[in-house]
Amino acid sequence: MTDATGSEAGTAWRRIADELEAAIGRGDYQEGATLPSSLALAERYGVHRHTVRQAFRHLADRGLVTVSRGRGTQVTAPRFPYRIGRRVSMRTNFGAAGISVAGSMLGAEIVAGEAEACAALRLEEGAPLWQVEALSLAGGIPVSTGVHLLPVARFPEFDRVFVESGSSITAAFKACGIPDYVRLSTRLSARIASEREALLLKIEPGAAVMVSKAVDALPDLTPIHLIDGIFAGERMEMVVEPFGELPSPPAGESGA
Amino acid sequence: MTDATGSEAGTAWRRIADELEAAIGRGDYQEGATLPSSLALAERYGVHRHTVRQAFRHLADRGLVTVSRGRGTQVTAPRFPYRIGRRVSMRTNFGAAGISVAGSMLGAEIVAGEAEACAALRLEEGAPLWQVEALSLAGGIPVSTGVHLLPVARFPEFDRVFVESGSSITAAFKACGIPDYVRLSTRLSARIASEREALLLKIEPGAAVMVSKAVDALPDLTPIHLIDGIFAGERMEMVVEPFGELPSPPAGESGA
């Protein structure tokens, strides 16, 4: 049961895809650059446009290009790897790559905790929680936005401390006497960005976002922090490596 | 720096959202059901449509409803939790919930492995690899599709064995003398489904998918299997719990 890919058309799209991939690898087309149109490439290779589109689809399936209606076929910028391990900190993740992280608090209020949130934080329903909305930028580009829920009893002045800590959760926790914390749980799914999220993250309306529902805890596993976060799907890649970091093949070695 | 949410409008959208949430919790609106229009609710509550839309957005941000242009506001079906731990198997994930998994092989061919794939599998570039495309269904609903890459040297007749194993990777590995395997790495991001993916997964064109690039290995951590998978974002939720499974609050307890 082997596919028939030895046909003329099969060979042609593959050759076009391979040549485009090599050109991207060489940097002939930089990140974000638009590839020649399917019409132009069809003329250059003497094939039907359908064959070029098949090559585009192959490259898109491999994440090398992004095909969008009206904008043509663009070279995908590599997604930033964001490690979800026993400790998760945005500044650690980006800092390791020498990328500066900045954050801002969009709003903070004290709410009566809903049943589900209070259960996750092991509190009585209705316990007062900080509900803090924040935006995070890495290298000046918005990468995530989200709502943080924290017990007011443990963090009586979280709004002030968070702002004074430069909107860093890790720094705010330290200022509140919590030198270390762990990531208990992360639940990831995908959906289309809301209009507000697209505006905040500066992504196209209708773009895909990763939805992250996470729980941070003290080192003794007492949950203290819930995060409902939204990550720009085109900019980030969550990495889960339960046996530790893998040696990754050197970048840019796949072409030519 | 506390938000002003005690205003008339602030109270109104919150009350509408709370009542709708309670109604969803009671089952007045079942999964997939369409809520009354913003116009109808605005009349019922004697508020501006904008206030109702704010309530919808709040419920959407919490994942309870899905707002789509033209289709109105629908109750979100809960996403199926898919655990990404040291072992990841679709049948184990769904089987634990009593959901049957079926798979089908869409195609299989032997290809000369590209540099990146061969590096990940610790093979010489160009080593022959099985490239197997498959579709997985859970409870009769398509949940993922993807391309599997496996060394031909280790799996000489993988296409036949995979089909004979009912398109189960775990069963096919067993039949090839590999009784156990581990998940070395999973990289998750989000993007818009391609037309073909939308057709295969029976999701709306333009819907968000989770993209998973994963590496399976022998228990001694020798990589043997690469998976480029696509999961329907609206149906699945990847769960990462490095300290083990959390006690989850009982379902349906958040309403009333």
Side-chain angles (χ1 to χ4, degrees):
Chain A
M1 185 161 165
T2 300
D3 263 15
T5 47
S7 66
E8 268 306 296
T11 313
W13 74 256
R14 190 67 193 225
R15 186 165 68 89
I16 298 169
D18 287 348
E19 292 195 18
L20 288 172
E21 179 172 351
I24 293 168
R26 281 193 307 269
D28 295 355
Y29 303 110
Q30 304 272 332
E31 287 162 23
T34 303
L35 295 184
S37 70
S38 57
L39 188 63
L41 288 170
E43 282 176 7
R44 186 188 303 174
Y45 286 98
V47 297
H48 196 274
R49 284 179 74 174
H50 179 78
T51 305
V52 177
R53 288 207 198 99
Q54 197 169 355
F56 283 169
R57 271 199 300 274
H58 175 73
L59 295 174
D61 284 348
R62 299 190 49 235
L64 289 169
V65 303
T66 307
V67 184
S68 49
R69 263 174 223 159
R71 278 193 305 161
T73 303
Q74 295 178 306
V75 180
T76 310
R79 289 179 164 90
F80 187 85
Y82 192 89
R83 295 187 180 278
I84 309 281
R86 290 188 162 219
R87 278 171 180 74
V88 180
S89 144
M90 182 162 284
R91 271 153 232 250
T92 304
N93 258 305
F94 285 99
I99 298 171
S100 68
V101 174
S104 60
M105 188 167 88
L106 305 177
E109 54 175 325
I110 291 176
V111 298
E114 292 176 14
E116 206 181 339
C118 288
L121 290 167
R122 298 195 207 146
L123 300 171
E124 293 288 310
E125 185 175 342
L129 300 181
W130 278 112
Q131 182 172 302
V132 175
E133 193 182 12
L135 177 72
S136 300
L137 297 91
I141 298 167
V143 289
S144 78
T145 182
V147 173
H148 304 257
L149 292 175
L150 309 102
V152 174
R154 189 181 293 274
F155 302 100
E157 293 185 275
F158 191 79
D159 56 343
R160 182 183 58 75
V161 174
F162 187 57
V163 170
E164 286 175 7
S165 306
S167 300
S168 158
I169 289 289
T170 304
F173 279 7
K174 280 210 174 92
C176 294
I178 298 170
D180 191 20
Y181 63 103
V182 296
R183 173 60 59 90
L184 219 48
S185 161
T186 309
R187 304 176 82 93
L188 295 164
S189 59
R191 62 168 167 75
I192 301 300
S194 71
E195 278 177 46
R196 179 152 190 276
E197 289 159 358
L199 273 173
L200 283 172
L201 294 175
K202 295 188 182 164
I203 54 180
E204 294 276 316
V209 288
M210 252 179 304
V211 180
S212 160
K213 292 177 184 296
V215 184
D216 284 335
L218 298 176
D220 72 0
L221 308 190
T222 304
I224 55 169
H225 178 212
L226 310 182
I227 317 129
D228 263 17
I230 302 294
F231 290 83
E234 64 205 54
R235 295 185 193 141
M236 309 278 289
E237 184 172 64
M238 303 305 186
V239 179
V240 184
E241 292 180 341
F243 296 94
E245 199 166 332
L246 289 178
S248 57
E253 273 213 348
S254 58
Chain B
M1 184 161 168
T2 300
D3 262 13
T5 48
S7 66
E8 268 305 297
T11 313
W13 74 255
R14 190 67 194 227
R15 186 166 68 90
I16 298 169
D18 286 350
E19 291 196 17
L20 287 172
E21 179 172 352
I24 293 168
R26 281 194 306 268
D28 295 355
Y29 302 109
Q30 304 271 334
E31 288 162 23
T34 303
L35 296 185
S37 71
S38 56
L39 189 62
L41 287 170
E43 282 176 7
R44 186 188 302 175
Y45 286 97
V47 297
H48 196 273
R49 286 179 72 173
H50 179 78
T51 304
V52 177
R53 287 207 199 97
Q54 198 170 353
F56 283 171
R57 272 201 299 275
H58 174 73
L59 295 174
D61 285 348
R62 301 190 48 233
L64 289 169
V65 303
T66 308
V67 184
S68 49
R69 264 174 221 160
R71 278 193 305 160
T73 303
Q74 295 178 306
V75 180
T76 311
R79 290 178 162 91
F80 187 85
Y82 192 88
R83 296 186 180 278
I84 309 282
R86 290 187 162 217
R87 278 169 179 75
V88 180
S89 145
M90 182 163 286
R91 270 153 233 249
T92 304
N93 257 305
F94 285 100
I99 298 171
S100 68
V101 174
S104 60
M105 189 167 89
L106 304 177
E109 55 177 324
I110 291 176
V111 299
E114 293 176 13
E116 204 181 338
C118 289
L121 290 167
R122 299 196 206 142
L123 300 171
E124 292 288 310
E125 183 174 344
L129 300 181
W130 279 111
Q131 182 173 300
V132 175
E133 194 183 11
L135 177 72
S136 300
L137 297 92
I141 298 167
V143 288
S144 79
T145 180
V147 173
H148 304 256
L149 292 174
L150 309 103
V152 174
R154 190 181 292 274
F155 302 100
E157 292 185 275
F158 190 80
D159 56 343
R160 183 183 58 76
V161 174
F162 187 56
V163 169
E164 287 175 5
S165 305
S167 299
S168 158
I169 289 290
T170 303
F173 280 8
K174 280 210 174 93
C176 293
I178 298 170
D180 191 20
Y181 64 104
V182 296
R183 173 60 60 89
L184 219 49
S185 162
T186 309
R187 305 176 82 93
L188 295 164
S189 59
R191 62 168 168 76
I192 301 299
S194 71
E195 279 177 47
R196 180 154 190 276
E197 289 159 358
L199 272 173
L200 283 172
L201 294 176
K202 296 188 182 163
I203 55 180
E204 295 276 316
V209 289
M210 252 179 304
V211 180
S212 160
K213 294 178 182 292
V215 184
D216 284 334
L218 298 176
D220 72 1
L221 307 189
T222 305
I224 55 169
H225 178 212
L226 309 182
I227 318 129
D228 264 16
I230 303 292
F231 289 82
E234 64 206 54
R235 293 185 194 141
M236 308 278 289
E237 183 172 64
M238 303 305 188
V239 179
V240 185
E241 292 179 342
F243 296 93
E245 198 167 333
L246 289 179
S248 57
E253 273 215 347
S254 58

